[in-house]
Amino acid sequence: MVYGALLQPGRRRAMTRLAAAPGERILEMGVGTGLTVRRYPAGCHVTAIDVSAPMLDRAARRRARHQTGHLHLCRMDAMRLAFPDATFDAVYVPYLLNVVPDPLRAAREAARVCRPGGRVVLLNHFDRTYESDASDRVIGRLARLLSGVNWQLALEPLLAASGLRAVSVEPVNIPRVSAVVVCVRP
Ligand SMILES: C[S@@+](CC[C@H](N)C(=O)[O-])C[C@H]1O[C@@H](n2cnc3c(N)ncnc32)[C@H](O)[C@@H]1O
């Protein structure tokens, strides 16, 4: 429920901002069960990674159902990507940074594998990018309790340390506990 329907508005907005175009090379980090796989247009070359084999199995079944043959799935650690620098035109990081042990390392990897001038789209909860303080605190406590997510991730230091430049930050979901952050890789 939490990672499916409730967080789907954020995924939709993030995919709109990612604006993947035919011919582009796209990396999705932490693809999970593949809730966004059918939203990539035919003709773009999508590689989606996750550290969990069961998640990748579910994503593969979803890919088969939607016949999205242009999507390649790989088991890989987001904090140690096996791609050369500047491999992708765009990198999409949905709901991953709150669950990895070292979010900065994952963000740096996203920046490294994106070509200069390319875009990195983060979809995540970040401290102080939301509108609803009270509900955010309650949800944060629940999320930490139930799944151990890191609810205290500050956006500005993360961007500064990873070398990414934000061009827009949009609060998303209801309540607005997540943000779509569109970044450019300088
Ligand atoms: C909260 S889920 C989000 C899944 C998907 N992006 C979505 O929007 O539904 C986080 C995903 O990140 C994956 N993950 C956790 N740590 C990871 C790591 N170090 N490298 C790659 N994937 C990781 C998990 O297996 C899980 O599929």
Side-chain angles (χ1 to χ4, degrees), residues 15 18-29 36 39-41 43-49 70-72 83 87-93 113-115 119-121:
M15 288 301 283
L18 184 70
E24 283 194 314
R25 299 155 303 164
I26 311 283
L27 173 67
E28 180 169 331
M29 291 169 64
T36 44
R39 298 187 179 275
Y40 289 103
C44 61
H45 311 284
V46 185
T47 302
I49 66 116
H70 54 299
L71 182 115
H72 303 281
F83 303 111
T87 300
F88 298 98
D89 298 298
V91 180
Y92 175 39
V93 192
V113 300
C114 187
R115 68 167 170 79
R119 53 210 191 277
V120 175
V121 176

PDB file of all heavy atoms in Angstrom, residues 15 18-29 36 39-41 43-49 70-72 83 87-93 113-115 119-121:
ATOM      1  N   MET A  15       8.082  11.135 -13.560  1.00  0.00           N
ATOM      2  CA  MET A  15       8.249  10.649 -14.937  1.00  0.00           C
ATOM      3  C   MET A  15       7.984  11.767 -15.942  1.00  0.00           C
ATOM      4  O   MET A  15       8.638  11.863 -16.984  1.00  0.00           O
ATOM      5  CB  MET A  15       7.305   9.463 -15.211  1.00  0.00           C
ATOM      6  CG  MET A  15       7.720   8.188 -14.517  1.00  0.00           C
ATOM      7  SD  MET A  15       9.380   7.619 -14.962  1.00  0.00           S
ATOM      8  CE  MET A  15       9.096   6.906 -16.568  1.00  0.00           C
ATOM      9  N   LEU A  18      11.061  13.845 -15.847  1.00  0.00           N
ATOM     10  CA  LEU A  18      12.188  13.139 -16.475  1.00  0.00           C
ATOM     11  C   LEU A  18      12.113  13.299 -17.993  1.00  0.00           C
ATOM     12  O   LEU A  18      13.125  13.471 -18.660  1.00  0.00           O
ATOM     13  CB  LEU A  18      12.149  11.655 -16.089  1.00  0.00           C
ATOM     14  CG  LEU A  18      13.300  10.789 -16.580  1.00  0.00           C
ATOM     15  CD1 LEU A  18      14.599  11.143 -15.841  1.00  0.00           C
ATOM     16  CD2 LEU A  18      12.992   9.294 -16.395  1.00  0.00           C
ATOM     17  N   ALA A  19      10.894  13.234 -18.515  1.00  0.00           N
ATOM     18  CA  ALA A  19      10.636  13.461 -19.946  1.00  0.00           C
ATOM     19  C   ALA A  19      11.587  12.651 -20.826  1.00  0.00           C
ATOM     20  O   ALA A  19      12.281  13.193 -21.691  1.00  0.00           O
ATOM     21  CB  ALA A  19      10.750  14.964 -20.259  1.00  0.00           C
ATOM     22  N   ALA A  20      11.596  11.338 -20.588  1.00  0.00           N
ATOM     23  CA  ALA A  20      12.462  10.452 -21.377  1.00  0.00           C
ATOM     24  C   ALA A  20      12.048  10.504 -22.848  1.00  0.00           C
ATOM     25  O   ALA A  20      10.864  10.429 -23.163  1.00  0.00           O
ATOM     26  CB  ALA A  20      12.342   9.027 -20.841  1.00  0.00           C
ATOM     27  N   ALA A  21      13.017  10.636 -23.715  1.00  0.00           N
ATOM     28  CA  ALA A  21      12.719  10.764 -25.149  1.00  0.00           C
ATOM     29  C   ALA A  21      13.301   9.576 -25.910  1.00  0.00           C
ATOM     30  O   ALA A  21      14.313   9.003 -25.494  1.00  0.00           O
ATOM     31  CB  ALA A  21      13.321  12.063 -25.676  1.00  0.00           C
ATOM     32  N   PRO A  22      12.665   9.199 -27.018  1.00  0.00           N
ATOM     33  CA  PRO A  22      13.208   8.112 -27.834  1.00  0.00           C
ATOM     34  C   PRO A  22      14.672   8.382 -28.173  1.00  0.00           C
ATOM     35  O   PRO A  22      15.047   9.522 -28.464  1.00  0.00           O
ATOM     36  CB  PRO A  22      12.324   8.152 -29.089  1.00  0.00           C
ATOM     37  CG  PRO A  22      11.035   8.738 -28.610  1.00  0.00           C
ATOM     38  CD  PRO A  22      11.408   9.737 -27.554  1.00  0.00           C
ATOM     39  N   GLY A  23      15.485   7.345 -28.091  1.00  0.00           N
ATOM     40  CA  GLY A  23      16.909   7.494 -28.397  1.00  0.00           C
ATOM     41  C   GLY A  23      17.763   7.762 -27.186  1.00  0.00           C
ATOM     42  O   GLY A  23      18.984   7.574 -27.227  1.00  0.00           O
ATOM     43  N   GLU A  24      17.147   8.184 -26.081  1.00  0.00           N
ATOM     44  CA  GLU A  24      17.951   8.497 -24.891  1.00  0.00           C
ATOM     45  C   GLU A  24      18.313   7.231 -24.116  1.00  0.00           C
ATOM     46  O   GLU A  24      17.580   6.245 -24.119  1.00  0.00           O
ATOM     47  CB  GLU A  24      17.173   9.428 -23.958  1.00  0.00           C
ATOM     48  CG  GLU A  24      17.160  10.856 -24.420  1.00  0.00           C
ATOM     49  CD  GLU A  24      16.688  11.800 -23.332  1.00  0.00           C
ATOM     50  OE1 GLU A  24      15.665  11.492 -22.673  1.00  0.00           O
ATOM     51  OE2 GLU A  24      17.322  12.835 -23.137  1.00  0.00           O
ATOM     52  N   ARG A  25      19.444   7.305 -23.400  1.00  0.00           N
ATOM     53  CA  ARG A  25      19.879   6.233 -22.492  1.00  0.00           C
ATOM     54  C   ARG A  25      19.505   6.668 -21.072  1.00  0.00           C
ATOM     55  O   ARG A  25      19.948   7.720 -20.610  1.00  0.00           O
ATOM     56  CB  ARG A  25      21.391   6.047 -22.582  1.00  0.00           C
ATOM     57  CG  ARG A  25      21.905   5.652 -23.971  1.00  0.00           C
ATOM     58  CD  ARG A  25      23.343   6.074 -24.145  1.00  0.00           C
ATOM     59  NE  ARG A  25      23.496   7.533 -23.928  1.00  0.00           N
ATOM     60  CZ  ARG A  25      24.648   8.142 -23.706  1.00  0.00           C
ATOM     61  NH1 ARG A  25      25.755   7.470 -23.641  1.00  0.00           N
ATOM     62  NH2 ARG A  25      24.691   9.453 -23.529  1.00  0.00           N
ATOM     63  N   ILE A  26      18.665   5.849 -20.438  1.00  0.00           N
ATOM     64  CA  ILE A  26      18.122   6.208 -19.121  1.00  0.00           C
ATOM     65  C   ILE A  26      18.516   5.140 -18.111  1.00  0.00           C
ATOM     66  O   ILE A  26      18.465   3.949 -18.411  1.00  0.00           O
ATOM     67  CB  ILE A  26      16.570   6.249 -19.147  1.00  0.00           C
ATOM     68  CG1 ILE A  26      16.025   7.058 -20.329  1.00  0.00           C
ATOM     69  CG2 ILE A  26      16.006   6.730 -17.815  1.00  0.00           C
ATOM     70  CD1 ILE A  26      16.088   8.534 -20.184  1.00  0.00           C
ATOM     71  N   LEU A  27      18.873   5.590 -16.905  1.00  0.00           N
ATOM     72  CA  LEU A  27      19.102   4.651 -15.797  1.00  0.00           C
ATOM     73  C   LEU A  27      18.065   4.907 -14.714  1.00  0.00           C
ATOM     74  O   LEU A  27      17.879   6.058 -14.291  1.00  0.00           O
ATOM     75  CB  LEU A  27      20.503   4.841 -15.193  1.00  0.00           C
ATOM     76  CG  LEU A  27      20.775   4.014 -13.925  1.00  0.00           C
ATOM     77  CD1 LEU A  27      20.804   2.521 -14.241  1.00  0.00           C
ATOM     78  CD2 LEU A  27      22.087   4.437 -13.260  1.00  0.00           C
ATOM     79  N   GLU A  28      17.365   3.850 -14.284  1.00  0.00           N
ATOM     80  CA  GLU A  28      16.496   3.954 -13.102  1.00  0.00           C
ATOM     81  C   GLU A  28      17.149   3.190 -11.957  1.00  0.00           C
ATOM     82  O   GLU A  28      17.475   1.999 -12.089  1.00  0.00           O
ATOM     83  CB  GLU A  28      15.090   3.400 -13.405  1.00  0.00           C
ATOM     84  CG  GLU A  28      14.180   3.506 -12.189  1.00  0.00           C
ATOM     85  CD  GLU A  28      12.716   3.223 -12.474  1.00  0.00           C
ATOM     86  OE1 GLU A  28      12.240   3.456 -13.609  1.00  0.00           O
ATOM     87  OE2 GLU A  28      12.023   2.763 -11.529  1.00  0.00           O
ATOM     88  N   MET A  29      17.332   3.862 -10.825  1.00  0.00           N
ATOM     89  CA  MET A  29      18.034   3.252  -9.683  1.00  0.00           C
ATOM     90  C   MET A  29      17.042   2.847  -8.596  1.00  0.00           C
ATOM     91  O   MET A  29      16.294   3.683  -8.096  1.00  0.00           O
ATOM     92  CB  MET A  29      19.052   4.252  -9.105  1.00  0.00           C
ATOM     93  CG  MET A  29      20.219   4.518 -10.044  1.00  0.00           C
ATOM     94  SD  MET A  29      21.260   5.913  -9.536  1.00  0.00           S
ATOM     95  CE  MET A  29      21.919   5.352  -7.979  1.00  0.00           C
ATOM     96  N   THR A  36       7.049   1.797 -12.669  1.00  0.00           N
ATOM     97  CA  THR A  36       7.090   2.828 -13.716  1.00  0.00           C
ATOM     98  C   THR A  36       7.528   2.279 -15.072  1.00  0.00           C
ATOM     99  O   THR A  36       7.647   3.058 -16.029  1.00  0.00           O
ATOM    100  CB  THR A  36       8.049   3.982 -13.319  1.00  0.00           C
ATOM    101  OG1 THR A  36       9.241   3.422 -12.786  1.00  0.00           O
ATOM    102  CG2 THR A  36       7.438   4.892 -12.293  1.00  0.00           C
ATOM    103  N   ARG A  39       5.903   3.304 -18.343  1.00  0.00           N
ATOM    104  CA  ARG A  39       5.783   4.737 -18.635  1.00  0.00           C
ATOM    105  C   ARG A  39       6.926   5.271 -19.503  1.00  0.00           C
ATOM    106  O   ARG A  39       6.931   6.422 -19.878  1.00  0.00           O
ATOM    107  CB  ARG A  39       5.700   5.546 -17.338  1.00  0.00           C
ATOM    108  CG  ARG A  39       4.472   5.166 -16.539  1.00  0.00           C
ATOM    109  CD  ARG A  39       4.219   6.034 -15.335  1.00  0.00           C
ATOM    110  NE  ARG A  39       3.010   5.575 -14.666  1.00  0.00           N
ATOM    111  CZ  ARG A  39       1.775   5.955 -15.012  1.00  0.00           C
ATOM    112  NH1 ARG A  39       1.598   6.834 -15.983  1.00  0.00           N
ATOM    113  NH2 ARG A  39       0.731   5.474 -14.369  1.00  0.00           N
ATOM    114  N   TYR A  40       7.900   4.442 -19.801  1.00  0.00           N
ATOM    115  CA  TYR A  40       8.983   4.894 -20.676  1.00  0.00           C
ATOM    116  C   TYR A  40       8.548   4.745 -22.135  1.00  0.00           C
ATOM    117  O   TYR A  40       8.017   3.690 -22.510  1.00  0.00           O
ATOM    118  CB  TYR A  40      10.242   4.062 -20.446  1.00  0.00           C
ATOM    119  CG  TYR A  40      10.900   4.344 -19.120  1.00  0.00           C
ATOM    120  CD1 TYR A  40      10.762   3.473 -18.050  1.00  0.00           C
ATOM    121  CD2 TYR A  40      11.659   5.496 -18.944  1.00  0.00           C
ATOM    122  CE1 TYR A  40      11.358   3.735 -16.827  1.00  0.00           C
ATOM    123  CE2 TYR A  40      12.263   5.766 -17.721  1.00  0.00           C
ATOM    124  CZ  TYR A  40      12.107   4.885 -16.678  1.00  0.00           C
ATOM    125  OH  TYR A  40      12.702   5.165 -15.472  1.00  0.00           O
ATOM    126  N   PRO A  41       8.771   5.765 -22.957  1.00  0.00           N
ATOM    127  CA  PRO A  41       8.353   5.638 -24.349  1.00  0.00           C
ATOM    128  C   PRO A  41       9.210   4.621 -25.099  1.00  0.00           C
ATOM    129  O   PRO A  41      10.387   4.435 -24.775  1.00  0.00           O
ATOM    130  CB  PRO A  41       8.596   7.054 -24.915  1.00  0.00           C
ATOM    131  CG  PRO A  41       9.574   7.686 -24.001  1.00  0.00           C
ATOM    132  CD  PRO A  41       9.409   7.051 -22.652  1.00  0.00           C
ATOM    133  N   GLY A  43      11.590   3.152 -27.766  1.00  0.00           N
ATOM    134  CA  GLY A  43      12.680   3.835 -28.476  1.00  0.00           C
ATOM    135  C   GLY A  43      13.723   4.426 -27.549  1.00  0.00           C
ATOM    136  O   GLY A  43      14.789   4.831 -27.997  1.00  0.00           O
ATOM    137  N   CYS A  44      13.435   4.517 -26.221  1.00  0.00           N
ATOM    138  CA  CYS A  44      14.523   4.917 -25.332  1.00  0.00           C
ATOM    139  C   CYS A  44      15.114   3.648 -24.713  1.00  0.00           C
ATOM    140  O   CYS A  44      14.469   2.613 -24.643  1.00  0.00           O
ATOM    141  CB  CYS A  44      14.107   5.956 -24.298  1.00  0.00           C
ATOM    142  SG  CYS A  44      12.829   5.474 -23.183  1.00  0.00           S
ATOM    143  N   HIS A  45      16.362   3.738 -24.319  1.00  0.00           N
ATOM    144  CA  HIS A  45      17.103   2.565 -23.853  1.00  0.00           C
ATOM    145  C   HIS A  45      17.195   2.650 -22.333  1.00  0.00           C
ATOM    146  O   HIS A  45      17.982   3.438 -21.814  1.00  0.00           O
ATOM    147  CB  HIS A  45      18.493   2.532 -24.482  1.00  0.00           C
ATOM    148  CG  HIS A  45      18.446   2.741 -25.957  1.00  0.00           C
ATOM    149  ND1 HIS A  45      18.043   1.750 -26.820  1.00  0.00           N
ATOM    150  CD2 HIS A  45      18.680   3.836 -26.715  1.00  0.00           C
ATOM    151  CE1 HIS A  45      18.056   2.222 -28.057  1.00  0.00           C
ATOM    152  NE2 HIS A  45      18.436   3.489 -28.016  1.00  0.00           N
ATOM    153  N   VAL A  46      16.370   1.879 -21.656  1.00  0.00           N
ATOM    154  CA  VAL A  46      16.274   2.003 -20.199  1.00  0.00           C
ATOM    155  C   VAL A  46      16.984   0.834 -19.520  1.00  0.00           C
ATOM    156  O   VAL A  46      16.719  -0.332 -19.834  1.00  0.00           O
ATOM    157  CB  VAL A  46      14.800   2.031 -19.733  1.00  0.00           C
ATOM    158  CG1 VAL A  46      14.719   2.292 -18.231  1.00  0.00           C
ATOM    159  CG2 VAL A  46      14.003   3.067 -20.495  1.00  0.00           C
ATOM    160  N   THR A  47      17.879   1.167 -18.590  1.00  0.00           N
ATOM    161  CA  THR A  47      18.485   0.169 -17.723  1.00  0.00           C
ATOM    162  C   THR A  47      17.958   0.452 -16.324  1.00  0.00           C
ATOM    163  O   THR A  47      18.008   1.600 -15.868  1.00  0.00           O
ATOM    164  CB  THR A  47      20.019   0.291 -17.727  1.00  0.00           C
ATOM    165  OG1 THR A  47      20.475   0.155 -19.072  1.00  0.00           O
ATOM    166  CG2 THR A  47      20.665  -0.776 -16.860  1.00  0.00           C
ATOM    167  N   ALA A  48      17.424  -0.586 -15.677  1.00  0.00           N
ATOM    168  CA  ALA A  48      16.879  -0.394 -14.330  1.00  0.00           C
ATOM    169  C   ALA A  48      17.585  -1.353 -13.396  1.00  0.00           C
ATOM    170  O   ALA A  48      17.688  -2.549 -13.682  1.00  0.00           O
ATOM    171  CB  ALA A  48      15.378  -0.654 -14.327  1.00  0.00           C
ATOM    172  N   ILE A  49      18.088  -0.819 -12.284  1.00  0.00           N
ATOM    173  CA  ILE A  49      18.844  -1.669 -11.349  1.00  0.00           C
ATOM    174  C   ILE A  49      18.143  -1.756 -10.000  1.00  0.00           C
ATOM    175  O   ILE A  49      17.393  -0.847  -9.607  1.00  0.00           O
ATOM    176  CB  ILE A  49      20.296  -1.166 -11.156  1.00  0.00           C
ATOM    177  CG1 ILE A  49      20.330   0.212 -10.461  1.00  0.00           C
ATOM    178  CG2 ILE A  49      21.034  -1.102 -12.483  1.00  0.00           C
ATOM    179  CD1 ILE A  49      20.973   0.200  -9.128  1.00  0.00           C
ATOM    180  N   HIS A  70      12.259  -2.697 -24.325  1.00  0.00           N
ATOM    181  CA  HIS A  70      13.404  -1.792 -24.355  1.00  0.00           C
ATOM    182  C   HIS A  70      13.963  -1.533 -22.961  1.00  0.00           C
ATOM    183  O   HIS A  70      14.764  -0.625 -22.770  1.00  0.00           O
ATOM    184  CB  HIS A  70      13.007  -0.472 -25.022  1.00  0.00           C
ATOM    185  CG  HIS A  70      11.792   0.173 -24.404  1.00  0.00           C
ATOM    186  ND1 HIS A  70      10.564  -0.429 -24.382  1.00  0.00           N
ATOM    187  CD2 HIS A  70      11.632   1.357 -23.786  1.00  0.00           C
ATOM    188  CE1 HIS A  70       9.697   0.358 -23.781  1.00  0.00           C
ATOM    189  NE2 HIS A  70      10.320   1.447 -23.404  1.00  0.00           N
ATOM    190  N   LEU A  71      13.528  -2.310 -21.967  1.00  0.00           N
ATOM    191  CA  LEU A  71      13.979  -2.105 -20.593  1.00  0.00           C
ATOM    192  C   LEU A  71      14.857  -3.276 -20.153  1.00  0.00           C
ATOM    193  O   LEU A  71      14.458  -4.428 -20.248  1.00  0.00           O
ATOM    194  CB  LEU A  71      12.754  -2.014 -19.678  1.00  0.00           C
ATOM    195  CG  LEU A  71      13.082  -1.760 -18.220  1.00  0.00           C
ATOM    196  CD1 LEU A  71      12.543  -0.412 -17.793  1.00  0.00           C
ATOM    197  CD2 LEU A  71      12.503  -2.849 -17.361  1.00  0.00           C
ATOM    198  N   HIS A  72      16.068  -2.970 -19.686  1.00  0.00           N
ATOM    199  CA  HIS A  72      17.000  -4.003 -19.242  1.00  0.00           C
ATOM    200  C   HIS A  72      17.103  -3.936 -17.723  1.00  0.00           C
ATOM    201  O   HIS A  72      17.285  -2.856 -17.162  1.00  0.00           O
ATOM    202  CB  HIS A  72      18.369  -3.787 -19.878  1.00  0.00           C
ATOM    203  CG  HIS A  72      18.286  -3.777 -21.360  1.00  0.00           C
ATOM    204  ND1 HIS A  72      18.190  -4.917 -22.118  1.00  0.00           N
ATOM    205  CD2 HIS A  72      18.195  -2.742 -22.221  1.00  0.00           C
ATOM    206  CE1 HIS A  72      18.067  -4.592 -23.383  1.00  0.00           C
ATOM    207  NE2 HIS A  72      18.069  -3.275 -23.479  1.00  0.00           N
ATOM    208  N   PHE A  83      28.848   1.032 -14.091  1.00  0.00           N
ATOM    209  CA  PHE A  83      28.806   1.702 -15.395  1.00  0.00           C
ATOM    210  C   PHE A  83      29.930   2.732 -15.458  1.00  0.00           C
ATOM    211  O   PHE A  83      30.240   3.379 -14.448  1.00  0.00           O
ATOM    212  CB  PHE A  83      27.467   2.421 -15.599  1.00  0.00           C
ATOM    213  CG  PHE A  83      26.261   1.534 -15.479  1.00  0.00           C
ATOM    214  CD1 PHE A  83      25.388   1.674 -14.411  1.00  0.00           C
ATOM    215  CD2 PHE A  83      26.006   0.556 -16.430  1.00  0.00           C
ATOM    216  CE1 PHE A  83      24.278   0.845 -14.285  1.00  0.00           C
ATOM    217  CE2 PHE A  83      24.897  -0.276 -16.318  1.00  0.00           C
ATOM    218  CZ  PHE A  83      24.030  -0.127 -15.245  1.00  0.00           C
ATOM    219  N   THR A  87      27.592   7.543 -18.755  1.00  0.00           N
ATOM    220  CA  THR A  87      26.966   6.538 -19.620  1.00  0.00           C
ATOM    221  C   THR A  87      25.549   6.939 -20.049  1.00  0.00           C
ATOM    222  O   THR A  87      25.087   6.556 -21.117  1.00  0.00           O
ATOM    223  CB  THR A  87      26.886   5.179 -18.877  1.00  0.00           C
ATOM    224  OG1 THR A  87      28.205   4.771 -18.533  1.00  0.00           O
ATOM    225  CG2 THR A  87      26.233   4.096 -19.720  1.00  0.00           C
ATOM    226  N   PHE A  88      24.847   7.712 -19.195  1.00  0.00           N
ATOM    227  CA  PHE A  88      23.411   7.929 -19.418  1.00  0.00           C
ATOM    228  C   PHE A  88      23.085   9.405 -19.691  1.00  0.00           C
ATOM    229  O   PHE A  88      23.760  10.301 -19.203  1.00  0.00           O
ATOM    230  CB  PHE A  88      22.619   7.441 -18.199  1.00  0.00           C
ATOM    231  CG  PHE A  88      22.798   5.961 -17.953  1.00  0.00           C
ATOM    232  CD1 PHE A  88      23.718   5.501 -17.016  1.00  0.00           C
ATOM    233  CD2 PHE A  88      22.080   5.027 -18.675  1.00  0.00           C
ATOM    234  CE1 PHE A  88      23.902   4.142 -16.793  1.00  0.00           C
ATOM    235  CE2 PHE A  88      22.253   3.658 -18.465  1.00  0.00           C
ATOM    236  CZ  PHE A  88      23.160   3.223 -17.533  1.00  0.00           C
ATOM    237  N   ASP A  89      22.005   9.599 -20.452  1.00  0.00           N
ATOM    238  CA  ASP A  89      21.501  10.963 -20.684  1.00  0.00           C
ATOM    239  C   ASP A  89      20.702  11.453 -19.485  1.00  0.00           C
ATOM    240  O   ASP A  89      20.619  12.660 -19.230  1.00  0.00           O
ATOM    241  CB  ASP A  89      20.585  10.979 -21.919  1.00  0.00           C
ATOM    242  CG  ASP A  89      21.337  10.586 -23.173  1.00  0.00           C
ATOM    243  OD1 ASP A  89      22.291  11.306 -23.527  1.00  0.00           O
ATOM    244  OD2 ASP A  89      20.989   9.551 -23.785  1.00  0.00           O
ATOM    245  N   ALA A  90      20.070  10.512 -18.779  1.00  0.00           N
ATOM    246  CA  ALA A  90      19.252  10.891 -17.618  1.00  0.00           C
ATOM    247  C   ALA A  90      19.236   9.745 -16.625  1.00  0.00           C
ATOM    248  O   ALA A  90      19.304   8.576 -17.011  1.00  0.00           O
ATOM    249  CB  ALA A  90      17.832  11.228 -18.065  1.00  0.00           C
ATOM    250  N   VAL A  91      19.149  10.098 -15.336  1.00  0.00           N
ATOM    251  CA  VAL A  91      19.115   9.101 -14.263  1.00  0.00           C
ATOM    252  C   VAL A  91      17.917   9.420 -13.370  1.00  0.00           C
ATOM    253  O   VAL A  91      17.716  10.571 -12.966  1.00  0.00           O
ATOM    254  CB  VAL A  91      20.420   9.138 -13.426  1.00  0.00           C
ATOM    255  CG1 VAL A  91      20.369   8.103 -12.306  1.00  0.00           C
ATOM    256  CG2 VAL A  91      21.643   8.891 -14.315  1.00  0.00           C
ATOM    257  N   TYR A  92      17.120   8.397 -13.095  1.00  0.00           N
ATOM    258  CA  TYR A  92      15.913   8.557 -12.278  1.00  0.00           C
ATOM    259  C   TYR A  92      16.103   7.751 -10.984  1.00  0.00           C
ATOM    260  O   TYR A  92      16.435   6.564 -11.034  1.00  0.00           O
ATOM    261  CB  TYR A  92      14.723   8.038 -13.089  1.00  0.00           C
ATOM    262  CG  TYR A  92      13.398   8.005 -12.377  1.00  0.00           C
ATOM    263  CD1 TYR A  92      13.010   9.018 -11.495  1.00  0.00           C
ATOM    264  CD2 TYR A  92      12.491   6.971 -12.606  1.00  0.00           C
ATOM    265  CE1 TYR A  92      11.791   8.982 -10.855  1.00  0.00           C
ATOM    266  CE2 TYR A  92      11.264   6.924 -11.973  1.00  0.00           C
ATOM    267  CZ  TYR A  92      10.917   7.933 -11.101  1.00  0.00           C
ATOM    268  OH  TYR A  92       9.698   7.898 -10.472  1.00  0.00           O
ATOM    269  N   VAL A  93      15.896   8.413  -9.849  1.00  0.00           N
ATOM    270  CA  VAL A  93      16.169   7.793  -8.536  1.00  0.00           C
ATOM    271  C   VAL A  93      14.902   7.863  -7.674  1.00  0.00           C
ATOM    272  O   VAL A  93      14.740   8.774  -6.860  1.00  0.00           O
ATOM    273  CB  VAL A  93      17.358   8.501  -7.835  1.00  0.00           C
ATOM    274  CG1 VAL A  93      17.831   7.684  -6.623  1.00  0.00           C
ATOM    275  CG2 VAL A  93      18.517   8.748  -8.785  1.00  0.00           C
ATOM    276  N   VAL A 113      27.456   8.709 -13.339  1.00  0.00           N
ATOM    277  CA  VAL A 113      27.110   7.965 -14.561  1.00  0.00           C
ATOM    278  C   VAL A 113      26.244   8.793 -15.520  1.00  0.00           C
ATOM    279  O   VAL A 113      25.947   8.351 -16.620  1.00  0.00           O
ATOM    280  CB  VAL A 113      26.420   6.615 -14.245  1.00  0.00           C
ATOM    281  CG1 VAL A 113      27.335   5.737 -13.404  1.00  0.00           C
ATOM    282  CG2 VAL A 113      25.059   6.805 -13.573  1.00  0.00           C
ATOM    283  N   CYS A 114      25.858   9.998 -15.089  1.00  0.00           N
ATOM    284  CA  CYS A 114      25.075  10.887 -15.961  1.00  0.00           C
ATOM    285  C   CYS A 114      26.044  11.742 -16.776  1.00  0.00           C
ATOM    286  O   CYS A 114      27.048  12.218 -16.252  1.00  0.00           O
ATOM    287  CB  CYS A 114      24.181  11.776 -15.091  1.00  0.00           C
ATOM    288  SG  CYS A 114      23.033  12.776 -16.043  1.00  0.00           S
ATOM    289  N   ARG A 115      25.740  11.952 -18.037  1.00  0.00           N
ATOM    290  CA  ARG A 115      26.647  12.769 -18.862  1.00  0.00           C
ATOM    291  C   ARG A 115      26.558  14.238 -18.434  1.00  0.00           C
ATOM    292  O   ARG A 115      25.506  14.685 -17.937  1.00  0.00           O
ATOM    293  CB  ARG A 115      26.287  12.630 -20.342  1.00  0.00           C
ATOM    294  CG  ARG A 115      24.954  13.236 -20.705  1.00  0.00           C
ATOM    295  CD  ARG A 115      24.785  13.370 -22.206  1.00  0.00           C
ATOM    296  NE  ARG A 115      23.427  13.725 -22.547  1.00  0.00           N
ATOM    297  CZ  ARG A 115      22.900  14.954 -22.470  1.00  0.00           C
ATOM    298  NH1 ARG A 115      23.631  15.968 -22.010  1.00  0.00           N
ATOM    299  NH2 ARG A 115      21.635  15.174 -22.818  1.00  0.00           N
ATOM    300  N   ARG A 119      20.348  15.031 -17.000  1.00  0.00           N
ATOM    301  CA  ARG A 119      19.493  15.326 -15.848  1.00  0.00           C
ATOM    302  C   ARG A 119      19.408  14.131 -14.897  1.00  0.00           C
ATOM    303  O   ARG A 119      19.406  12.986 -15.334  1.00  0.00           O
ATOM    304  CB  ARG A 119      18.110  15.779 -16.316  1.00  0.00           C
ATOM    305  CG  ARG A 119      17.446  14.836 -17.262  1.00  0.00           C
ATOM    306  CD  ARG A 119      16.508  15.593 -18.222  1.00  0.00           C
ATOM    307  NE  ARG A 119      15.680  14.626 -18.948  1.00  0.00           N
ATOM    308  CZ  ARG A 119      16.097  13.979 -20.036  1.00  0.00           C
ATOM    309  NH1 ARG A 119      17.298  14.193 -20.534  1.00  0.00           N
ATOM    310  NH2 ARG A 119      15.289  13.111 -20.631  1.00  0.00           N
ATOM    311  N   VAL A 120      19.329  14.476 -13.625  1.00  0.00           N
ATOM    312  CA  VAL A 120      19.133  13.477 -12.575  1.00  0.00           C
ATOM    313  C   VAL A 120      17.857  13.878 -11.840  1.00  0.00           C
ATOM    314  O   VAL A 120      17.747  15.006 -11.350  1.00  0.00           O
ATOM    315  CB  VAL A 120      20.332  13.447 -11.595  1.00  0.00           C
ATOM    316  CG1 VAL A 120      20.058  12.497 -10.434  1.00  0.00           C
ATOM    317  CG2 VAL A 120      21.609  13.025 -12.327  1.00  0.00           C
ATOM    318  N   VAL A 121      16.874  12.983 -11.817  1.00  0.00           N
ATOM    319  CA  VAL A 121      15.601  13.284 -11.162  1.00  0.00           C
ATOM    320  C   VAL A 121      15.492  12.445  -9.895  1.00  0.00           C
ATOM    321  O   VAL A 121      15.496  11.211  -9.950  1.00  0.00           O
ATOM    322  CB  VAL A 121      14.411  13.011 -12.110  1.00  0.00           C
ATOM    323  CG1 VAL A 121      13.090  13.234 -11.378  1.00  0.00           C
ATOM    324  CG2 VAL A 121      14.494  13.907 -13.340  1.00  0.00           C
TER     325      VAL A 121
END
